[in-house]
Amino acid sequence: MTLSGNVPELKVLMVVFATIIFAYLVVYPRMEPKSFRRMMHYDLVLSALLMVAVGSVYFGQGIAFSLIFIQAPWWVFTLVAALLIELPFCLMFCKKHGLSPEDMNED
């Protein structure tokens, strides 16, 4: 049995984590000029790519994913996992670079 075995949640979490690490170590540091609005545009593209990657494996499979107390479809699990994993990275990156949601009109 491999590390991920037949646990779809673990496979999705590994893809989500890899996507977020790529975003915060490669994509966002190279973004110029750095702005919260630009970061959200990049995040939208990366999130769409994440959903396509996970969806290409689980779309139409009827597999239920566990969100602790409820069962959810793959896309809900992926979005919730990405939000929860990305939030601390986003807060640290924004603090380090002086970015704020209040700056959405700047670019």
Side-chain angles (χ1 to χ4, degrees):
M1 186 167 161
T2 62
L3 174 65
S4 60
N6 289 326
V7 183
E9 291 90 349
L10 185 55
K11 292 177 184 178
V12 171
L13 289 173
M14 289 180 354
V15 173
V16 168
F17 193 71
T19 302
I20 291 170
I21 291 297
F22 174 74
Y24 285 91
L25 292 182
V26 176
V27 177
Y28 297 148
R30 295 180 181 176
M31 179 177 62
E32 288 298 333
K34 289 177 179 48
S35 70
F36 192 81
R37 182 181 185 145
R38 182 167 291 196
M39 188 175 162
M40 291 302 100
H41 288 158
Y42 282 39
D43 194 61
L44 182 62
V45 171
L46 290 168
S47 296
L49 292 172
L50 172 64
M51 296 304 284
V52 167
V54 174
S56 70
V57 175
Y58 294 108
F59 180 78
Q61 298 294 317
I63 299 173
F65 288 77
S66 176
L67 277 173
I68 302 182
F69 298 112
I70 63 168
Q71 297 295 310
W74 67 268
W75 59 273
V76 171
F77 180 84
T78 304
L79 287 174
V80 169
L83 174 70
L84 293 176
I85 294 170
E86 184 175 7
L87 187 59
F89 286 91
C90 181
L91 293 174
M92 286 187 293
F93 185 86
C94 288
K95 183 177 180 181
K96 179 179 178 180
H97 295 283
L99 304 178
S100 170
E102 298 166 357
D103 303 329
M104 284 295 286
N105 295 327
E106 297 176 13
D107 200 17

